[in-house]
Amino acid sequence: MENRLHKILAELSARNLDAFLVTKDANVSYLSGFIMGDAILLIMPGKGNLLITDSRFIQEVSAIKNFKGEITSTGIPAYLRARFKEFNLRRVAFESDALTHHQFLLLKDACSDTELIPVHGLIEELRTIKDDSEIKLIKEATKISLDAFNVLKAKINPGMTEKMIADCLESLIREHGAYKAGFDIIVASGVNSSRPHARPTGHIWQKDELLLIDWGACYEGYNCDLTRTLFSDRIDAEKKRIYRILLEAQEKAFLAIRPGVKAKEIDLLVRNFLKENKLDKLFLHSLGHGIGRDVHELPNISARSEAELKENMVFVIEPAVYFNGEFGIRLEDLVVVTKNGCEVLSKT
């Protein structure tokens, strides 16, 4: 984490900024290791770095390195006004996408003598390249997710509701060592699977219906995101054909991933293949997204992305098709970009 902080400090100095106010939870934890939430960072080149929270976390703050823990009960705007004055901070950057308009106005009013400079994506860009410790944690989150899912498959059967299956999987994720699921688990059977972000309902999974499950564990602050489409009975020829096309599309993406390739080229490759099979208009979202401390983070693997793939980027590849009001099929796996290609972290 010390190396991450040094990169931010160097960037602030290059931009002639006196300080950087970090308020987004994922970025706070990325730079400091503090994972409790309800904290902000004040990073000041040459003057020290503060982690500011309240008295609920006095014990956790004492274990944080590279930041001086500060407990405040005065309210953040008033506290920052005092610190800005104490350290003579004239130009302070803040995360423009992490403050509400109301919070910004409070901060601006309290710190009227300081120039507040909005920045976007400064830490997020740094987070796109994972270090070895981060990849290790993502791999563990993936292992937990797959282990829990393998147990789930032996426990579920038609006749259970989507909610029952989702609750069972969430429990198994915790039993296998994760703090929690990384997001609200999607369990969608039959017609509900035609909605990409369906929520589990009381619908009973029928024997002749497919079952789509989108889930992932959160382990030590790092996430996994996977999707599997299951069949409990004979698969009709059309669904089998579509499933195999999506599987081939995913494999084509895996083979094309390597440093230097544009993310949008991978997305286009899959869309063109689906177009050859007259399925492209049924693919309703981007091909993938980065994953780490957030379930959805950079890089975006989409037609609009200008990102260039680099070694140690971690993201998902999730080709899918959705027949409105009928069914949907999605496959989703994690990859890490390697020196000459990629490693699939979750292939089963």
Side-chain angles (χ1 to χ4, degrees):
M1 288 187 183
E2 189 171 343
N3 185 48
R4 303 171 193 173
L5 184 58
H6 283 163
K7 290 179 180 179
I8 294 297
L9 287 168
E11 186 66 29
L12 297 182
S13 296
R15 298 188 186 197
N16 195 30
L17 293 167
D18 295 326
F20 185 17
L21 185 63
V22 181
T23 53
K24 191 180 295 184
D25 284 347
N27 290 340
V28 169
S29 61
Y30 177 76
L31 293 175
S32 70
F34 185 82
I35 62 174
M36 305 305 294
D38 291 329
I40 63 174
L41 304 178
L42 185 59
I43 300 173
M44 302 174 288
K47 298 180 179 180
N49 308 299
L50 304 179
L51 188 152
I52 305 147
T53 186
D54 61 62
S55 58
R56 292 174 297 166
F57 305 112
I58 191 168
Q59 295 184 56
E60 287 82 2
V61 164
S62 64
I64 299 299
K65 299 178 180 179
N66 301 317
F67 286 84
K68 178 185 176 184
E70 292 274 293
I71 304 297
T72 179
S73 59
T74 63
I76 293 299
Y79 173 87
L80 290 176
R81 178 175 57 206
R83 296 291 82 77
F84 289 2
K85 183 176 181 180
E86 175 185 354
F87 292 103
N88 192 32
L89 305 179
R90 296 299 179 184
R91 302 183 75 245
V92 177
F94 69 96
E95 296 180 293
S96 59
D97 59 342
L99 290 182
T100 66
H101 185 244
H102 177 66
Q103 289 169 332
F104 171 73
L105 291 179
L106 290 176
L107 181 62
K108 184 179 180 181
D109 183 61
C111 308
S112 57
D113 293 333
T114 301
E115 182 182 3
L116 298 174
I117 301 169
V119 298
H120 174 72
L122 179 59
I123 302 175
E124 286 80 0
E125 286 291 339
L126 182 62
R127 284 168 49 195
T128 61
I129 309 298
K130 291 349 187 234
D131 60 33
D132 290 344
S133 65
E134 292 179 288
I135 292 173
K136 183 178 180 180
L137 292 172
I138 293 171
K139 285 184 175 181
E140 184 60 28
T142 303
K143 181 180 184 301
I144 290 170
S145 300
L146 290 173
D147 288 347
F149 181 72
N150 288 333
V151 173
L152 178 81
K153 286 193 294 182
K155 288 178 172 285
I156 62 174
N157 52 68
M160 297 176 68
T161 68
E162 295 168 346
K163 285 184 177 180
M164 290 169 63
I165 295 170
D167 289 346
C168 182
L169 183 51
E170 174 113 26
S171 178
L172 287 168
I173 285 171
R174 293 175 184 269
E175 287 178 21
H176 281 78
Y179 166 61
K180 62 176 182 176
F183 52 91
D184 291 339
I185 293 171
I186 296 172
V187 175
S189 57
V191 66
N192 289 340
S193 64
S194 68
R195 295 183 285 128
H197 274 200
R199 292 183 176 182
T201 70
H203 176 76
I204 296 173
W205 178 29
Q206 303 297 323
K207 185 176 181 180
D208 61 347
E209 293 179 333
L210 63 79
L211 183 71
L212 187 150
I213 302 178
D214 187 337
W215 84 107
C218 179
Y219 179 75
E220 298 295 329
Y222 282 83
N223 294 284
C224 172
D225 187 3
L226 302 170
T227 303
R228 296 290 183 264
T229 304
L230 306 179
F231 302 85
S232 71
D233 201 5
R234 290 176 61 88
I235 309 170
D236 68 62
E238 180 62 6
K239 290 186 178 69
K240 182 182 290 187
R241 182 185 75 88
I242 293 168
Y243 187 96
R244 287 177 172 172
I245 289 170
L246 291 176
L247 192 62
E248 186 174 351
Q250 193 184 50
E251 289 291 345
K252 286 180 179 294
F254 294 157
L255 291 172
I257 293 168
R258 62 185 181 276
V261 173
K262 289 288 185 68
K264 64 182 177 183
E265 293 175 14
I266 307 299
D267 185 276
L268 182 61
L269 173 69
V270 168
R271 289 186 193 280
N272 284 342
F273 178 69
L274 293 180
K275 187 174 183 179
E276 292 172 13
N277 289 277
K278 297 180 172 55
L279 293 172
D280 57 305
K281 289 181 169 44
L282 301 172
F283 185 22
L284 305 180
H285 49 71
S286 63
L287 180 63
H289 56 83
I291 191 164
R293 287 196 171 271
D294 287 321
V295 176
H296 289 79
E297 59 182 51
L298 298 177
N300 294 317
I301 313 300
S302 72
R304 296 185 297 274
S305 175
E306 292 299 326
E308 180 180 297
L309 302 185
K310 297 178 181 179
E311 188 175 358
N312 284 5
M313 283 183 169
V314 181
F315 49 85
V316 305
I317 296 294
E318 51 177 334
V321 294
Y322 307 95
F323 290 81
N324 188 21
E326 297 182 45
F327 66 89
I329 298 176
R330 180 165 73 244
L331 309 176
E332 182 178 19
D333 287 283
L334 277 77
V335 303
V336 56
V337 181
T338 60
K339 185 176 182 180
N340 298 309
C342 78
E343 177 188 355
V344 183
L345 303 183
S346 57
K347 198 63 180 172
T348 57

